[in-house]
Amino acid sequence: MSLGTLFGDQQIRTVPPKALIKHFNLDVKIVGSDDAAYQKAFPLKKIPAFVGPKGFKLHEVIAISIYLINLADPKSKLLGKNAKEYSEILKWLSLSNMELLPNIANVFKPLTGASPYNKKNVDEASAYVEKVISLYEARLAEYTYLVGERLTFADVFSAALLVRGFEHLFGADWRKAHPNTSRWFKTVISQKILHDIIGDFTFIEKAKEFVPPKKEKKAAAPKEAAPKKEKKPAAPKEEDDIPAEAPKPKHPLAALGNPKAALDEWKRVYSNEETREVAIPWFWKNQYDPEEWSLWKVDYKYNDELTLTFMSNNLVGGFFNRLSASTKYLFGCLVVYGENNNNGITGFFLVRGQEYAPAFDVAPDWESYAYTKLDPKDEESKKFIENMLAWDQPVDVNGEKREIADGKVFK
Ligand SMILES: N[C@@H](CCC(=O)N[C@@H](CS)C(=O)NCC(=O)O)C(=O)O
């Protein structure tokens, strides 16, 4: 019998439960968070989440993980060999989850472009990461593992979350200065339980550095003169750490009234149905009404400044987060095409009304993108939109076929 479903498969906090599912060979299905059941059952929209038999629901990664271990083997040594060890394990889980990871994210997200850069905040978060890491460093100077001399779930969980630190921030110098944490991390990620999920890990030479975003300045300047909407302060919420968006009181596009087809049903269809066979015909038939909606090609203006594809995708993620005040008025997909050091961002949006600006200017970086109206009566435009929904064909960029490397759906 199925033991349940884990929601979320990309975010770092899904690594520990996925490792347990694999390690104990648990019959738990792993699905993405765009699943309709998840959207309905978990209003905080945090990842991971879990639904077990008889509608048993859990969020919070620690709770989910402990549940899975107990399900598999209540006597598992991963939870320590006595109550004292168990409490120590909980201590490390909580410390890694709530003190370390969110602050690591507060340092690397501004550096990858996923959230705005504020030097003071980055410096403060970085100093705090050092403070927390000093606890690991001190402990691991005396012991092989976090709790005693045996691998426990404290190690699996903490090392999994620290992947974000080692992939973005902890370069060779850092590792030299933190030999115990680095040695322990290497040992733990090469254990089968974690290696099965994260694979071979490549250490970075240098920490990511902040590159001033010329484009955001360029884009922001003319904006200041424009009449102000209720623009949300530039404090984007990011995956891995920060709570979901609070609803905005009023949006300028609310003045257009309710459309015949709101986006909810479409989003459900798109998430759950076969894209080419069902969702796309549904979109043209039931969603796209040219009286009420317009279609836009959206292109990032500074493709030549993009480097690694995952960073380009983070940029898109940041942009989408900053657009969240327009969720009712926008649906779209942006893809990253190409490869590391030679990639670009393009895609399409369905926009309420006939103008793009009122929907997009809630995001401070909206002018880093170019907007071109699309007419689906034009075969090429229609094909482009359909591929941006299906991602199953290369993108035509100035006559060149470029493979889609990654992408995100705004919904
Ligand atoms: N307190 C939650 C935090 C979960 C969390 O923040 N997860 C991240 C992904 S690793 C997320 O859902 N981010 C999206 C958001 O904050 O809206 C837990 O421990 O599980």
Side-chain angles (χ1 to χ4, degrees), residues 10-14 38 44-49 59-64 97-98 101-102 109 157 161 164 237-245 321:
Q10 301 294 321
Q11 298 84 344
I12 198 67
R13 282 191 181 88
T14 63
Y38 164 81
L44 289 187
K45 304 270 189 302
K46 291 291 182 144
I47 294 291
H59 51 90
E60 304 305 305
V61 60
I62 297 177
I64 295 167
N97 191 41
M98 295 318 294
L101 179 62
K109 293 205 160 178
F157 184 91
L161 268 46
R164 286 288 181 257
K237 310 296 179 189
E238 295 302 336
E239 289 175 350
D240 289 0
D241 56 332
I242 308 175
E245 211 39 56
N321 284 335

Side-chain angles (χ1 to χ4, degrees), residues 7 23 39 47 67 176 186 250 275 278 337 344 390 401:
F7 295 98
H23 177 74
Q39 296 285 338
I47 294 291
Y67 175 77
K176 220 170 177 179
K186 260 187 222 165
K250 225 184 177 74
T275 307
V278 181
Y337 60 80
K401 297 260 176 266

